[in-house]
Amino acid sequence: MSTPALKGNSPERSWPLWEVFVRGKRGLSHVHVGSLHAPDAEMALRNGRDVYTRRQEGVSLWVVRSTDITASSPDERDSFFDPAADKVYRHPTFYDVPEDIEYL
Amino acid sequence: MYGNDFVDPDEPLNAAESGGVEDAMAAASAALARRPDGGSSFDALLAADQRIEPRDEMPEAYRKTLIRQIAQHAHSEIIGMQPEGNWISRAPSLRRKAILMAKVQDEAGHGLYLYSAAETLGVDRAELLDMLHSGRQKYSSIFNYPTLTWADNGAIGWLVDGAAIMNQVPLCRCSYGPYARAMIRVCKEESFHQRQGFEILWTLLRGTQAQKDMAQDAVNRWWWPALMMFGPPDTGDAATAGGHTEQSMAWGIKRFSNDALRQKFVDMTVPQALKIGLTLPDPDLRLNEESGHWDFGAIDWSELWRVIKGDGACNAERIEHRVGAHNEGAWVREAANAYAGKRHRAQQDVYVA
């Protein structure tokens, strides 16, 4: 992590982009809601609160530097997720059982 | 004197509450559940009414159109803070002041959601702000009209936000995922904006003669500009050449024509005006028994073009104020930067030790 450099009178140009995740309520997982620029993680959290939870939309907030996220490529989507495509036997509906059996 | 003739608060008062947003959300999840049969090319995704996501391949013209539209939308949100921001210090009660501040804060938030959506297309927010400040990108020309009296805050909420919601609800189903998601958040929040405006007018209409006149005067001034917010005619003989409607519709960015949305807005608004005793400044306004729609008079499009080209009452003032606010905030951004740098160095010292 390098210190953001000052550039002219517009330092926010070099502020990193942060992805914001909100936990709507206890028991739910954090969900991506958007992004913002901030000089550091603490400011990103504060600004994330102001921008994305003005109506009590969350009980917990995560901010992650966008550059720290490694994403799968849409170009490789088919081959990347291919291994699961031909394994229908991972689903319970794959199996034949007599019709009148209950609780199975 | 208005007795029990009030608006039921549980009735859907505006488009944001008419189920359109929920429909859009349902459509989005239904689209997710449908697998595109023709693969995952741009055209196949569009054909299956699936959302295009930031890292998907897309035609350069689609990307450029979206950047222009989302940026203009974002600029409109933050410039839109000014007409009402002008009245925060003069709001007639603490209640009204708190409401107005919340509304203006929402507009800032909406701008940020939209800049964030634009950035997923590979532009930087600072670049977009530069283009706004230098006049290379536009914002909605409605914000070049002045807010002369307190009643203007009512007319803006009711008519301007009402028209904006009408435009924005279909955008919740826009083909570009980040834009559609931002619009869902925006629409949900806009609902109170329109209601508080209507409430301001309704309150004035139950006041003194001077207050009633003030409400009517504001509506007289905002009605026609609100109708122009839907853009020039794009259907029938009146369609203006050079519009973006056709291509935007093919790309799933736009779902309805300007004229269809304008008619929908008129049909929704006229009964509301009648109910609280406001007169809309259009002698040609009448219910067409055959079509079931409200026919309205000709719009003076030369006014829209004049204001867009810079001849509105407040064009220069709005940009000057925006640039001023940006420059006056420079020291805050610099301080935040210096503090982040200081903390970063302190942390490194700990690692070294």
Side-chain angles (χ1 to χ4, degrees):
Chain A
M1 203 206 275
S2 64
T3 309
L6 281 169
K7 221 191 262 175
N9 68 347
S10 166
E12 77 279 12
R13 272 181 188 283
S14 54
W15 286 357
L17 190 65
W18 303 79
E19 301 297 330
V20 183
F21 299 78
V22 174
R23 182 201 292 285
K25 51 184 158 189
R26 210 163 263 287
L28 298 181
S29 46
H30 285 77
V31 175
H32 182 243
V33 290
S35 65
L36 50 80
H37 288 270
D40 61 18
E42 207 177 311
M43 283 292 283
L45 264 185
R46 281 173 174 275
N47 292 346
R49 176 200 60 189
D50 291 345
V51 177
Y52 291 105
T53 63
R54 287 195 306 286
R55 286 170 175 77
Q56 300 177 294
E57 288 95 337
V59 294
S60 163
L61 209 61
W62 287 349
V63 289
V64 181
R65 265 182 190 252
S66 307
T67 50
D68 286 343
I69 294 178
T70 309
S72 63
S73 157
D75 303 338
E76 298 164 355
R77 187 175 62 183
D78 293 342
S79 58
F80 190 72
F81 295 105
D82 194 42
D86 59 353
K87 296 175 180 62
V88 282
Y89 44 84
R90 283 175 175 163
H91 298 277
T93 46
F94 175 75
Y95 299 92
D96 279 335
V97 292
E99 264 177 33
D100 49 357
I101 303 265
E102 284 186 321
Y103 310 118
L104 191 69
Chain B
M1 73 188 273
Y2 286 84
N4 290 329
D5 189 19
F6 64 93
V7 177
D8 179 355
D10 294 328
E11 251 177 53
L13 187 76
N14 58 43
E17 298 199 340
S18 64
V21 178
E22 284 70 22
D23 290 350
M25 287 165 74
S29 43
L32 278 180
R34 268 196 317 275
R35 281 181 171 252
D37 297 327
S40 53
S41 72
F42 178 77
D43 290 329
L45 289 169
L46 275 193
D49 197 20
Q50 296 248 339
R51 300 290 168 264
I52 308 296
E53 294 297 340
R55 299 187 66 206
D56 288 332
E57 272 178 55
M58 60 186 91
E60 186 56 18
Y62 175 83
R63 199 181 74 88
K64 284 220 164 103
T65 298
L66 275 171
I67 291 176
R68 192 189 58 233
Q69 179 171 339
I70 300 174
Q72 180 169 332
H73 199 157
H75 299 331
S76 300
E77 297 286 353
I78 62 166
I79 293 290
M81 296 165 74
Q82 292 185 36
E84 288 159 300
N86 178 35
W87 279 90
I88 290 176
S89 64
R90 293 174 288 162
S93 68
L94 262 179
R95 176 178 181 269
R96 293 289 182 202
K97 192 194 283 262
I99 291 169
L100 208 51
M101 278 169 58
K103 181 175 190 292
V104 172
Q105 281 176 334
D106 271 356
E107 309 299 2
H110 297 173
L112 287 170
Y113 303 159
L114 287 160
Y115 285 123
S116 156
E119 284 193 305
T120 63
L121 291 159
V123 282
D124 191 88
R125 181 182 56 174
E127 270 172 57
L128 299 177
L129 281 177
D130 279 350
M131 289 205 264
L132 169 66
H133 295 164
S134 60
R136 278 172 295 154
Q137 278 183 342
K138 301 226 177 281
Y139 53 89
S140 174
S141 97
I142 192 79
F143 302 117
N144 290 321
Y145 291 85
T147 38
L148 302 179
T149 68
W150 168 250
D152 286 41
N153 296 283
I156 288 180
W158 179 43
L159 298 174
V160 175
D161 289 296
I165 292 170
M166 196 59 82
N167 260 329
Q168 288 172 164
V169 166
L171 284 173
C172 297
R173 307 180 61 171
C174 166
S175 61
Y176 188 58
Y179 192 24
R181 291 191 286 274
M183 290 325 300
I184 288 174
R185 296 184 68 89
V186 168
C187 282
K188 284 183 162 178
E189 297 181 1
E190 288 278 354
S191 177
F192 107 70
H193 296 187
Q194 198 190 9
R195 289 188 72 122
Q196 65 85 38
F198 191 72
E199 192 197 62
I200 288 174
L201 294 175
W202 189 42
T203 305
L204 288 171
L205 288 169
R206 286 172 294 161
T208 64
Q209 190 56 45
Q211 288 171 320
K212 287 178 200 174
D213 293 346
M214 194 200 278
Q216 184 60 56
D217 167 65
V219 169
N220 289 348
R221 283 181 288 109
W222 287 94
W223 173 250
W224 290 108
L227 292 192
M228 293 177 203
M229 283 175 69
F230 295 93
D234 55 356
T235 55
D237 299 336
T240 321
H244 309 292
T245 298
E246 206 176 319
Q247 180 61 74
S248 285
M249 280 191 162
W251 277 331
I253 296 173
K254 204 172 159 69
R255 300 278 177 177
F256 299 99
S257 70
N258 298 344
D259 295 315
L261 290 169
R262 185 165 21 244
Q263 184 65 57
K264 222 173 149 187
F265 174 72
V266 171
D267 289 345
M268 190 176 244
T269 310
V270 174
Q272 294 172 351
L274 291 175
K275 199 151 189 175
I276 61 168
L278 281 167
T279 308
L280 295 172
D282 179 357
D284 297 325
L285 199 61
R286 58 179 52 86
L287 186 63
N288 184 325
E289 301 285 353
E290 236 171 82
S291 66
H293 294 294
W294 285 87
D295 290 341
F296 51 94
I299 295 173
D300 175 12
W301 291 108
S302 64
E303 178 180 328
L304 178 75
W305 301 124
R306 215 180 57 234
V307 176
I308 287 180
K309 290 196 179 114
D311 197 20
C314 304
N315 296 52
E317 183 188 326
R318 297 293 186 235
I319 288 297
E320 202 181 290
H321 188 83
R322 170 90 270 284
V323 173
H326 190 71
N327 290 341
E328 279 165 28
W331 72 270
V332 179
R333 297 189 293 273
E334 279 161 30
N337 225 28
Y339 183 67
K342 198 168 145 188
R343 278 174 58 95
H344 177 64
R345 283 190 297 278
Q347 214 166 30
Q348 281 194 326
D349 290 345
V350 172
Y351 292 143
V352 171

